[in-house]
Amino acid sequence: MADQSTEPNGLEGIPSPEGTTNLIDTQYEIGEDNVEGSVGPFGFDIHNPVFMISGLAIMAFVFYTLALPDQANSLFGWLFSAVTTGFDWFFIASANIFVLFCLILIVTPWGNVRLGGTEATPDYSYIGWFAMLFAAGMGIGLMFYGVSEPMSHFSTSFGGTAAEGGVRTDWAPLNGAGGNEEAAIRLGMAATIFHWGLHPWAIYAIVALSLALFSYNKGLPLTIRSAFYPIFGDAVWGWVGHIIDTLAVFATLFGLATSLGFGATQANAGLNELFGVPIGSTTEVILISAITAVALISVLRGLDGGVKVLSEINMGLAFLLLIFVLLVGPTIYLLKLFFSSLGAYVQYFPALANPFGREDVNFSQGWTSFYWAWWISWSPFVGMFIARVSRGRTVREFIICVLLIPSMVCVLWMTVFGGTALHQVVNDGYTLAQDAALELKLFKMLDVMPLAGITSLVGILLVIVFFVTSSDSGSLVIDTITAGGKIDAPVPQRAFWCIFEGAVAIVLLLSAGGLQSLQSMVISTGLPFTVVLLVMCIAIGKGLSSERHSVKAADE
Amino acid sequence: MFKKILAPVDLYHADKLDKALTATGELARVYGAEVCYVGVTGSTPSELARTPEQYARKLKEFAREQGEKFGVTTSSHTIVSHDPAVQMNHELAAAVEDVGADLIVMATHPPDVTDYLWSGNGAHLAAHSDASVMLIRG
């Protein structure tokens, strides 16, 4: 009953803040614009403009890419390169601002603010929390880029620079390290860590923090538009908010669908390598259907029984694989590499983070700018999911745990997997991993280590389960946004999004270039969202200072 | 016969629970039992309460009113759920233990197709707790 303005039993109105938090006084009732009803036997409770617009627009886009694949491909391809090459400075500069902002939050008194009020206690243990952070944030990326990215940067750096008409044509980061193996390894590791370290996690942390703050401390619905309340005031409940939320649904669903599609092709390649499973759309459709089915079960089991359990299993498996490679691989070399890579990261950081006047255009636009746009387009989804599980942490604890610790874990992961593969090339002269296609590099590296059959299988399993956790946490997020911030909407609704996502992935996979063009489009949404994130920084500042103020007032 | 009655309530639809609430109150009076009203809320803001603490206060107030209305001893128990739409069944069953209730009285919805897929709260409680369960059709 969305239109019910008085509450039952004389319990009316919004209460005054308890002194522990500083609620925002808005007349908007959560669920005010929602429509409840049922389709056949299935009940629904949706935020109408957001649900309908995003649902219809998604279908329209899918039909467009299917009906006019060539046109769509060239349009989105153009959009993508225009965004990543024309605005590379904007992405790189903004990402630096996000990192800086997060680091400032750690050291200032703002870090004392507790999400959910001074008395709130954390909902999840550290282990469960970390597991979910990684599973939603980048688990799948770590599997695929763990070997391939350090290897790529090493190879291009080692190859040195090349120029044509004054423009660099090589893909080496910065000035490369032509012919110098030692320097190429350092530069390659620094560049990889740069892409997986502080910056992506700062991007996630900003979105997550603003949502958690405005939801748990300010009492606004858990949806992206709430973070804009300090800027737009009550207008966020109108069309401004509808557009923001719809964009978020869009980025999340297409981001997931394209990843699901690419993930299926990659898992297929792995299965082919290991068991000779044929490569083709039949296998891929079966894989997507299976992943969606497992995600559906997980979604129906809820946050604690589904996503959390799967995330923890995956974390455990990933940790075992990491330890295995660390111990069986060149252990001492890897440990040394870990510290020298950290040093290299610090050393090259200023140059890599420099937004202006870059000569390594291919690297800074094709890698860095691409990554930043990619992380940012995923940030509404990952950020909202992180927010959902972070109640009860202080801002300082939150930033340290979402920014610093995951960054260190990524450094370790990249060192162990990338380092082992580099060691194979440099010391053993084993170049199969170096030469293999992107999705096979991990398996080729594991190939020459003991128990290759088991570890490769664990690798494929990790890939698949990471997709399941992305798919189900994504469905929860989309469901919450399209239900106007309600987390208790009828269950069939989240099942709908989960299935819809799988269906979109299958349709796009079967069309020529469909996935490619949509991925370009998703990454293009990174541009407007960068502006959104910058505004969020301002909103967080405003929100935290009012929070500090009220806690101080309560203490006196 | 019964010492403590557990009454799961959906505060948001409390206006539709009249029949169940009356049955609860009168049963409590007959047996001299205490009624514990239990409500489930998410940790995120909802249409009813912006914080779990606020929900707990509303539920406490609701319990007090019911106690006055029927002249029985009442208490309240708030469950903060990470995912109320799915986990409510489990959490209600746990609440029966926590509260130490021997009778559960609750309103139920008319059976429909979805009951084949997801068992109703009442059915789940009957299967997963030691207490007696009384379901009141609205």
Side-chain angles (χ1 to χ4, degrees), chain B residues 73-120:
Chain B
T73 314
T74 59
S75 57
S76 64
H77 179 78
T78 299
I79 299 170
V80 181
S81 173
H82 297 145
D83 194 355
V86 170
Q87 291 168 200
M88 192 188 289
N89 278 345
H90 282 290
E91 282 154 348
L92 279 179
V96 178
E97 298 265 319
D98 292 347
V99 169
D102 47 12
L103 173 65
I104 301 159
V105 182
M106 65 193 292
T108 184
H109 63 94
D112 60 32
V113 187
T114 54
D115 289 318
Y116 290 105
L117 296 172
W118 297 283
S119 72

Side-chain angles (χ1 to χ4, degrees), chain A residues 1 7-9 11 15 18 28 30 41 123-124 215 219-220 300-304 388 391 486-487 489 491 494, chain B residues 11-12 14 42-47 50 52-54 57-58 61-62 65 82-87 113-114 118:
Chain A
M1 298 298 109
E7 290 162 10
N9 306 302
L11 307 166
E18 289 174 284
Y28 184 79
I30 295 166
D123 284 349
Y124 291 99
S215 189
L220 301 182
L300 295 180
R301 284 180 54 85
L303 193 54
D304 291 351
R388 174 115 182 234
R391 188 176 193 271
K486 280 185 165 190
I487 60 169
V491 181
R494 57 175 83 166
Chain B
L11 267 195
Y12 195 58
S43 52
T44 54
S46 69
E47 54 268 65
R50 306 211 165 228
E53 293 76 23
Q54 189 191 347
R57 281 202 307 279
K58 286 194 173 182
E61 172 65 17
F62 176 81
E65 283 173 12
H82 297 145
D83 194 355
V86 170
Q87 291 168 200
V113 187
T114 54
W118 297 283

Side-chain angles (χ1 to χ4, degrees), chain A residues 79-80 83-84 87 90-91 94 98 203 247 251 369-380 519-534:
Chain A
L79 193 65
F80 170 67
V83 164
T84 48
F87 292 90
F90 182 62
F91 282 120
S94 304
F98 302 145
I203 289 167
L247 257 180
S369 173
F370 166 83
Y371 264 126
W372 284 189
W374 180 242
W375 297 131
I376 290 169
S377 68
W378 270 68
S379 64
Q519 194 192 29
S520 305
M521 199 206 64
V522 172
I523 291 171
S524 309
T525 61
L527 185 62
F529 259 102
T530 309
V531 181
V532 164
L533 260 71
L534 287 169

Side-chain angles (χ1 to χ4, degrees), chain A residues 210-223 226, chain B residues 44-45 50:
Chain A
S210 67
L211 291 173
L213 183 67
F214 286 96
S215 189
Y216 297 136
N217 294 46
K218 306 293 181 187
L220 301 182
L222 182 65
T223 160
S226 294
Chain B
T44 54
R50 306 211 165 228

